[in-house]
Amino acid sequence: MNSCYNRLYKLSGKWVYFRYLLFAAVSTLGILNCRAQTFPNINIEKVEGEGLSNNYIICINQDKNGFMWFGTREGLFKYDGYNFKPFKNIPGDPGTLAGNAIQCLYAEKNNLWAGTIEGISVVDINTGIVKNYAVPSSTRVNCIFPKNDWTFWIGTTVGVYQFNKKTLIWKKIKLVENDPSTTSIYDDKKGHTWFTAYNGFYCYTKSTGHCVFYEQYLPSYPNIEHAKCAGFCQSNIDSAGNIWSGTWDGGLAKFNTKTLTIKQWFHATDDLRFLPYKIVTDVLPRANGTIWLANKEGGLTIFDPLKNKFSNFPVEWDSKDNISGAVVSLFRDAAGTTWIGTENGIFKYDHYDVHLSKTNILSKTSSGLVHTHSSPTAILKDKRGLWWIGMYEGIYTFDPRTHILTDKSKAFGIEPNLRVFNILQADDGSIWFSAGWYLVKLTKQPANKTSYKVEVFKSPAITSTICQLYIDKEKRMWIGTHKNGMFRFDGATNKFINYNYHEIGTRGEIKEIHCFYELSKDSMLVGGVSNGLMLLHANTGRYEKIDWGNTPQVPADISINEICKDGNDLWIGTEYNGLLKTNTKLVKPTVLSVANGLPSMGITSMQAGNNHDLWMLTNSGAVQFSLTDKKMTIFDKKDGILNLDELNALLIEKQGGVVIGSRGCFYDLASTHFTKNIQPPKVFITNLKVFDDDHNVLQRQRIELNYDQNYFTLEYVALNYTQSRLNRYAYRMDGLDTSWNDAGMRRYISFANLKEGTYKFKVRACNNEGIWNNSPAEMIIVIKPPFWHMWWFYVIIIILIAGTLYFIYSYNMNQLKIRQRLRNKIARDLHDDIGSTLSGINIFSKMALQNTKVNEGSQELLERISEWSGKTMDALSDIVWSINTKNDTMDNLVARIRECLAELLEPQNIHYTLNFDTDITQLKLGMELIKEFYMIFKEAVCNALKYSDCTGIDITITKEKHRCFLTVSDNGKGFDIQTVKLGNGIENMYHRAEKMNGKLQIISKPGKGTTIILSFNIPRFR
């Protein structure tokens, strides 16, 4: 008998009281007879993901966002349900962790505190920025406990420190004279703070400042005299105020803070019926009163204090799926999932996961009951509740109460080891099954409840195993074989009718038949291996190949295993091409594949359920497919199914139960308690990748990108750890999309060539049950325009353009003024110098003619001098007039024209008219146009005066839009343009019109007068 003692030290100022207490209750404790059981219906799942570089998981926590954090011997890791992100110490880099050996974790608001051997590191959970705080004495940090918003109590290997994160001041908390290594700190909500140290428990009362020490001596195994356990490990306090603590070598301890008594449960022998192992490194009280234990090499252990019972999930060192390392740490997250840290990775128990009830099949042998490893191939629960099981070895009955399998082959006179793939019950209660190539009928004997009349039928045409039996609505029995095609059994004559088909098929005939479905009395659908879907017209025996084309999704020689009907929909399970949906009209089917949630493209068995659903067996698990919401629920290893490739038999009970037969066992979904995960997942936008650069955008509300960063990828995640691979996502980019886009299971979306502007990206997700989060994660994304699209750039450009235009205008105006001054100077010089000289020559020549008697030759010469000097004066007058800048307007031109007409026509008594539009008088044509215009006018008038013998001339000047028109018409004799040779004057007129970029048109006929029309564009800017 072991006795547990404690010594109480009371510390207050400088006095110490010491006394011994003997706990009578514990003195009779002895070795507690607590038989260790295996977990019923609990499945532990290994957590997989890229990025976890160290498998020794020392501590676990969850931040306020919902991300999981794991402390290891080689760094800290953040987990989002898919991948791990590492945080490690890099020597010389103060922005990394203080140390890699993470001892404890504490989550608060936006930070995660990590205690290491080298100090404390605080990680901002949104930005990932790390700050480090050195602990006095450079000691290892074992636990972190918040006293208030600013003060933490830090448990270390040399006692407890108080740390103010605002002032960064450390203060030693003196518990006893010798500072103990403290592993846990917690409040009991009654004004006391409890400390677990390697040598016992401390109680600190805030109101008095007193600290009481309860030293505990616990025996270790093997119980050496005077030896005690090496110390207390992690502990926790339950709702009743009991401190549950793991120990090193001493098992599990419970310290009652009210009675100050302690109980101990420990591994007393090598018999694992007791607590499996002596080292308990972590404890986790649950709301249901059970205590979960990290039992080191013993595995995961659950202790029920009310029943005083241990249940154990042992370590399977070579397992790839179950716990395969010593259990070190435990943590329960906000959703109720229990995370298990081991020396070989992370495992978890999720209460939302479906844990199938497994029934092992026992077989009677000469040496007693043994666990059979045979696989059921067919299951029937008859009308009396008796289970019939078909196996590769024959026909059996099964008692679900005793789990005993009874071989009936010998009793029924059936050869041993004949495969039984089908068992049916007809409406009359008879049992039909196939055994190899035999068809067997069992009829209940009225006189004996346990005896049957056995009838065996055989056809010489059937030499291979019967694969399928089917009874249609007309009670006809249809038979599908492995190599001999299709038959119908006539129960009246006991004959087999052959329905073989030899015209179509990759093998030249239909040989292997796997399924039937009756559409009508004359129409039977037939599916088999490599022949596609066939329609048999039963009355004539004619086959019809259903032609859906030949595509990779639905090849012409598709292999079909099952056909089910729901309403007007037909569902076809195939060997390699997934699930097909058509209808009774056999339209081209819709294909459901792994992209729609199937775990495999091969469906080996399928039946319609009782809740508008389909149940399917595949080589990757069982599937429940809800036809209402098109949701697929997969049952595989995570749900306890061990041999996924040996799911061969399926039974749907009328009461709603579902039974799956596998190697050596049945999985029963009817007796399993399903807990639906109704919590919609939180969604976070985690990363922005611009080209090859990653940017952490967690909890960022707004981000701005340059115009050349408009090709980027956004990554997001839903924090639902229950079957996270079934999380689905939808996104929407406001400013680009008008509706939600289904992203499926993809956790990223890329955008390319987004135009400048402001966008709002939204993403939402649904959990494994299809429950959507209606509060999407949002982030505003601003694509900044290039500088040449900024308003200030436009202002600068406008200023530059305006300045340039003003400069050009000013320059042109200055040049124009210079030209005008030059023109005016030339006009004055011509008029004053050359004009006066020519006038003098003309006057002197006339005076010489009047006053001098000259010979006839000299007189002619003087007359010619006088004539040419007069013409030169006229021409010079015109040039001087055109050069003068005052005459650049049409107003002055019209006045000049009027003077010219009066000077030329009035002496000849020729009538003339001058008409012009009043709005042309303000036109400013410029020197060149004015000159050419006037010279064309003058030439036209002079020609009319010289050659037309006219009595009237009409001049019209008009303006139409941007063109000006000059029309000179006379009523003279006219001429034939085609026959008359044009003189220099007319040629010059054409040449001048061309210089004006204008058009000259001469209209004349003999006796009809002549009309000359000049048209040209009016300059827009002058």
Side-chain angles (χ1 to χ4, degrees):
M1 180 179 294
N2 296 308
S3 299
C4 295
Y5 298 89
N6 72 357
R7 286 178 294 173
L8 179 148
Y9 293 89
K10 190 172 184 180
L11 308 177
S12 178
K14 297 183 179 179
W15 59 273
V16 178
Y17 290 101
F18 170 84
R19 66 177 179 173
Y20 289 96
L21 294 177
L22 177 65
F23 298 134
V26 181
S27 64
T28 59
L29 178 63
I31 299 174
L32 299 178
N33 186 18
C34 305
R35 184 177 180 85
Q37 307 287 333
T38 57
F39 282 151
N41 264 358
I42 286 184
N43 181 60
I44 304 297
E45 177 185 357
K46 186 173 179 61
V47 176
E48 303 285 357
E50 294 183 1
L52 184 65
S53 59
N54 187 268
N55 285 329
Y56 198 109
I57 311 301
I58 300 175
C59 50
I60 309 171
N61 214 311
Q62 185 179 31
D63 66 27
K64 302 306 179 184
N65 290 334
F67 291 90
M68 297 301 302
W69 295 79
F70 300 92
T72 75
R73 284 181 170 180
E74 293 296 333
L76 177 65
F77 296 86
K78 178 182 178 182
Y79 182 60
D80 61 6
Y82 301 90
N83 299 308
F84 294 87
K85 180 180 179 181
F87 293 79
K88 294 190 176 185
N89 169 260
I90 300 176
D93 187 349
T96 62
L97 295 183
N100 281 329
I102 311 299
Q103 302 300 307
C104 61
L105 295 172
Y106 171 73
E108 59 133 12
K109 295 181 181 178
N110 295 320
N111 294 317
L112 182 85
W113 292 64
T116 75
I117 295 178
E118 290 80 9
I120 292 178
S121 296
V122 181
V123 183
D124 188 307
I125 62 175
N126 296 320
T127 65
I129 296 174
V130 178
K131 293 182 179 179
N132 295 316
Y133 302 102
V135 180
S137 304
S138 300
T139 183
R140 184 180 71 188
V141 176
N142 293 327
C143 58
I144 302 172
F145 179 77
K147 288 295 292 181
N148 52 50
D149 289 342
W150 296 104
T151 305
F152 287 86
W153 281 16
I154 311 296
T156 73
T157 54
V158 294
V160 180
Y161 288 88
Q162 177 178 287
F163 176 64
N164 188 304
K165 67 178 182 180
K166 189 174 184 180
T167 63
L168 305 182
I169 295 175
W170 291 87
K171 178 183 177 183
K172 188 68 175 289
I173 303 297
K174 197 69 175 176
L175 300 180
V176 291
E177 293 181 1
N178 297 321
D179 296 317
S181 177
T182 306
T183 59
S184 302
I185 307 174
Y186 26 77
D187 273 333
D188 62 2
K189 310 301 181 183
K190 297 179 181 179
H192 304 112
T193 300
W194 289 88
F195 304 86
T196 299
Y198 77 97
N199 58 344
F201 305 98
Y202 296 80
C203 180
Y204 174 81
T205 304
K206 181 179 180 180
S207 59
T208 63
H210 294 165
C211 185
V212 179
F213 172 46
Y214 303 92
E215 184 177 12
Q216 307 298 323
Y217 285 99
L218 297 179
S220 64
Y221 177 79
N223 188 13
I224 304 174
E225 187 177 0
H226 304 301
K228 64 177 181 179
C229 69
F232 291 91
C233 301
Q234 291 291 327
S235 60
N236 218 316
I237 190 167
D238 64 17
S239 57
N242 297 309
I243 298 175
W244 294 88
S245 179
T247 70
W248 198 272
D249 288 342
L252 174 66
K254 182 184 80 169
F255 180 70
N256 190 316
T257 60
K258 298 177 181 178
T259 64
L260 306 181
T261 58
I262 191 167
K263 280 187 177 183
Q264 180 187 12
W265 293 262
F266 59 89
H267 174 73
T269 70
D270 289 330
D271 188 347
L272 294 185
R273 291 177 302 173
F274 300 95
L275 181 65
Y277 196 67
K278 57 186 176 181
I279 299 175
V280 178
T281 56
D282 202 359
V283 294
L284 181 65
R286 299 285 294 243
N288 61 1
T290 60
I291 310 297
W292 289 49
L293 310 176
N295 198 202
K296 207 62 168 146
E297 277 82 356
L300 173 65
T301 303
I302 293 180
F303 177 59
D304 188 340
L306 296 179
K307 297 180 180 179
N308 200 34
K309 173 184 175 182
F310 289 95
S311 299
N312 190 58
F313 201 103
V315 177
E316 299 179 22
W317 302 100
D318 297 327
S319 174
K320 294 182 179 179
D321 302 305
N322 297 324
I323 295 177
S324 56
V327 180
V328 178
S329 54
L330 299 171
F331 181 80
R332 187 173 185 265
D333 68 16
T337 299
T338 300
W339 298 82
I340 305 162
T342 76
E343 295 179 1
N344 191 32
I346 305 166
F347 298 81
K348 69 182 176 75
Y349 165 70
D350 191 341
H351 66 291
Y352 288 129
D353 280 345
V354 176
H355 306 295
L356 304 182
S357 175
K358 178 183 175 184
T359 300
N360 291 325
I361 302 174
L362 304 177
S363 179
K364 287 182 179 180
T365 67
S366 57
S367 59
L369 295 175
V370 297
H371 181 200
T372 182
H373 295 285
S374 299
S375 296
T377 55
I379 309 174
L380 171 69
K381 185 178 181 181
D382 66 19
K383 296 178 181 179
R384 297 186 300 115
L386 181 63
W387 285 47
W388 296 84
I389 309 297
M391 291 191 174
Y392 286 95
E393 296 81 6
I395 184 73
Y396 297 80
T397 58
F398 177 73
D399 189 336
R401 294 172 301 175
T402 63
H403 303 174
I404 296 176
L405 191 72
T406 303
D407 188 350
K408 293 292 185 179
S409 297
K410 185 177 181 180
F412 296 154
I414 306 299
E415 297 177 23
N417 297 320
L418 289 179
R419 299 175 182 179
V420 177
F421 288 141
N422 304 274
I423 310 174
L424 302 176
Q425 186 169 29
D427 291 342
D428 61 3
S430 59
I431 305 294
W432 293 80
F433 64 90
S434 63
W437 44 85
Y438 296 105
L439 178 64
V440 183
K441 178 182 180 182
L442 303 178
T443 306
K444 190 74 183 65
Q445 297 285 10
N448 191 338
K449 294 182 179 181
T450 60
S451 65
Y452 292 87
K453 176 185 177 182
V454 181
E455 299 176 78
V456 181
F457 306 99
K458 174 74 171 68
S459 170
I462 300 177
T463 60
S464 61
T465 303
I466 295 175
C467 300
Q468 182 69 21
L469 296 180
Y470 180 79
I471 300 176
D472 64 17
K473 297 176 182 177
E474 287 72 34
K475 299 181 176 56
R476 297 175 294 188
M477 173 74 72
W478 297 90
I479 301 170
T481 69
H482 177 56
K483 293 182 178 180
N484 304 115
M486 176 177 170
F487 296 82
R488 180 170 63 85
F489 179 72
D490 189 336
T493 63
N494 294 337
K495 291 183 179 180
F496 293 83
I497 302 171
N498 193 323
Y499 282 84
N500 281 352
Y501 181 69
H502 298 280
E503 295 181 10
I504 314 179
T506 58
R507 303 178 182 179
E509 59 182 343
I510 299 176
K511 290 185 176 181
E512 188 168 350
I513 305 299
H514 283 183
C515 58
F516 303 96
Y517 190 83
E518 182 185 16
L519 291 177
S520 65
K521 184 177 180 180
D522 183 49
S523 300
M524 178 71 68
L525 290 176
V526 182
V529 175
S530 301
N531 289 290
L533 184 64
M534 308 296 294
L535 178 63
L536 171 65
H537 299 277
N539 293 336
T540 62
R542 181 176 64 87
Y543 281 94
E544 179 182 345
K545 180 74 175 286
I546 305 302
D547 185 10
W548 287 326
N550 186 13
T551 65
Q553 291 77 24
V554 188
D557 60 348
I558 190 172
S559 294
I560 296 174
N561 290 332
E562 294 285 359
I563 304 174
C564 291
K565 185 173 182 291
D566 181 81
N568 291 323
D569 294 329
L570 285 177
W571 296 90
I572 301 172
T574 72
E575 183 73 18
Y576 307 108
N577 300 90
L579 180 64
L580 309 184
K581 177 188 176 184
T582 181
N583 55 28
T584 54
K585 296 182 180 180
L586 302 177
V587 297
K588 189 169 184 178
T590 302
V591 181
L592 280 71
S593 66
V594 291
N596 304 100
L598 281 175
S600 170
M601 293 295 284
I603 298 171
T604 57
S605 183
M606 179 172 66
Q607 291 186 35
N610 299 312
N611 299 309
H612 194 51
D613 55 3
L614 293 177
W615 286 86
M616 294 171 277
L617 300 182
T618 75
N619 288 331
S620 298
V623 182
Q624 181 189 23
F625 178 38
S626 172
L627 300 178
T628 303
D629 56 13
K630 302 299 184 289
K631 178 181 179 296
M632 293 191 184
T633 303
I634 301 170
F635 304 91
D636 51 22
K637 285 189 175 182
K638 66 178 174 50
D639 305 302
I641 298 178
L642 300 181
N643 301 296
L644 297 179
D645 57 346
E646 296 193 39
L647 303 179
N648 300 316
L650 181 63
L651 171 65
I652 308 294
E653 299 186 86
K654 292 182 179 180
Q655 297 80 7
V658 179
V659 178
I660 300 171
S662 183
R663 179 157 61 95
C665 66
F666 295 109
Y667 296 102
D668 186 4
L669 277 72
S671 60
T672 304
H673 177 67
F674 291 85
T675 303
K676 189 173 182 180
N677 181 11
I678 62 174
Q679 183 66 33
K682 287 183 178 181
V683 188
F684 293 92
I685 304 169
T686 58
N687 191 60
L688 170 70
K689 190 169 188 176
V690 182
F691 299 108
D692 292 328
D693 297 329
D694 290 307
H695 304 273
N696 180 17
V697 293
L698 188 62
Q699 298 288 37
R700 290 275 296 274
Q701 302 299 318
R702 178 187 176 94
I703 190 167
E704 295 185 356
L705 299 174
N706 293 327
Y707 71 93
D708 56 353
Q709 294 178 311
N710 59 349
Y711 182 93
F712 57 85
T713 298
L714 288 167
E715 298 175 3
Y716 41 82
V717 67
L719 296 184
N720 167 57
Y721 300 107
T722 301
Q723 296 182 327
S724 55
R725 68 185 187 280
L726 298 181
N727 295 343
R728 297 182 63 86
Y729 301 87
Y731 70 90
R732 173 174 175 170
M733 180 72 88
D734 288 349
L736 189 66
D737 300 319
T738 58
S739 60
W740 288 93
N741 302 290
D742 183 13
M745 299 176 185
R746 191 176 72 248
R747 294 183 293 112
Y748 65 90
I749 183 64
S750 298
F751 295 95
N753 298 322
L754 284 187
K755 295 181 179 179
E756 59 197 61
T758 300
Y759 303 87
K760 179 181 283 188
F761 178 73
K762 301 178 181 178
V763 59
R764 58 191 182 121
C766 69
N767 65 8
N768 58 302
E769 298 287 352
I771 297 176
W772 286 89
N773 185 340
N774 293 321
S775 300
E778 299 181 354
M779 185 171 66
I780 294 175
I781 301 173
V782 178
I783 306 296
K784 295 188 291 186
F787 69 88
W788 57 85
H789 286 181
M790 301 295 288
W791 65 267
W792 52 264
F793 182 79
Y794 290 138
V795 172
I796 292 174
I797 292 300
I798 291 173
I799 293 173
L800 288 175
I801 292 174
T804 302
L805 292 177
Y806 179 76
F807 173 78
I808 294 173
Y809 173 78
S810 299
Y811 177 80
N812 287 338
M813 290 301 296
N814 290 333
Q815 293 298 313
L816 180 61
K817 291 178 179 179
I818 293 172
R819 289 196 299 271
Q820 287 178 342
R821 287 195 295 268
L822 180 61
R823 286 172 56 189
N824 292 335
K825 182 176 183 303
I826 294 172
R828 287 195 300 271
D829 291 345
L830 288 175
H831 181 272
D832 296 341
D833 296 338
I834 301 177
S836 61
T837 302
L838 289 174
S839 297
I841 294 173
N842 183 266
I843 293 172
F844 291 145
S845 62
K846 288 182 178 180
M847 291 176 62
L849 286 173
Q850 294 175 0
N851 302 323
T852 306
K853 293 181 179 180
V854 296
N855 56 36
E856 183 178 349
S858 299
Q859 184 176 0
E860 181 181 356
L861 181 60
L862 290 173
E863 288 176 352
R864 291 186 67 182
I865 291 173
S866 177
E867 179 184 356
W868 282 105
S869 63
K871 291 181 177 180
T872 303
M873 288 177 60
D874 292 338
L876 182 62
S877 176
D878 292 338
I879 293 172
V880 170
W881 179 85
S882 64
I883 289 176
N884 196 321
T885 58
K886 297 179 180 179
N887 300 321
D888 285 348
T889 62
M890 286 294 291
D891 189 21
N892 290 333
L893 178 60
V894 170
R896 179 73 172 177
I897 289 173
R898 186 177 285 113
E899 290 179 6
C900 181
L901 290 174
E903 181 180 346
L904 295 176
L905 300 182
E906 287 182 1
Q908 304 295 329
N909 293 320
I910 296 176
H911 176 74
Y912 65 91
T913 60
L914 175 62
N915 298 309
F916 55 89
D917 294 341
T918 56
D919 58 346
I920 70 168
T921 56
Q922 300 303 316
L923 290 179
K924 202 167 186 180
L925 300 182
M927 180 183 72
E928 291 295 331
L929 288 179
I930 288 289
K931 174 186 174 185
E932 303 300 340
F933 185 99
Y934 180 73
M935 297 307 292
I936 291 174
F937 154 77
K938 190 172 182 181
E939 183 68 24
V941 173
C942 290
N943 286 341
L945 184 62
K946 291 180 179 179
Y947 307 113
S948 67
D949 296 334
C950 63
T951 60
I953 297 177
D954 296 321
I955 297 93
T956 305
I957 304 174
T958 58
K959 174 177 174 288
E960 294 182 9
K961 295 184 179 179
H962 300 295
R963 290 186 70 82
C964 183
F965 295 87
L966 167 66
T967 304
V968 179
S969 300
D970 65 64
N971 58 1
K973 59 185 180 181
F975 61 94
D976 187 352
I977 297 176
Q978 302 297 326
T979 59
V980 175
K981 183 179 180 181
L982 300 178
N984 290 333
I986 294 178
E987 292 290 345
N988 289 337
M989 291 171 65
Y990 277 112
H991 181 66
R992 292 181 186 278
E994 184 178 349
K995 288 176 63 178
M996 297 174 68
N997 290 324
K999 181 179 180 182
L1000 183 70
Q1001 184 179 9
I1002 300 177
I1003 304 171
S1004 182
K1005 289 184 180 180
K1008 299 288 186 175
T1010 301
T1011 300
I1012 297 176
I1013 302 174
L1014 169 67
S1015 64
F1016 61 93
N1017 289 329
I1018 301 171
R1020 294 190 178 185
F1021 303 103
R1022 278 290 171 187

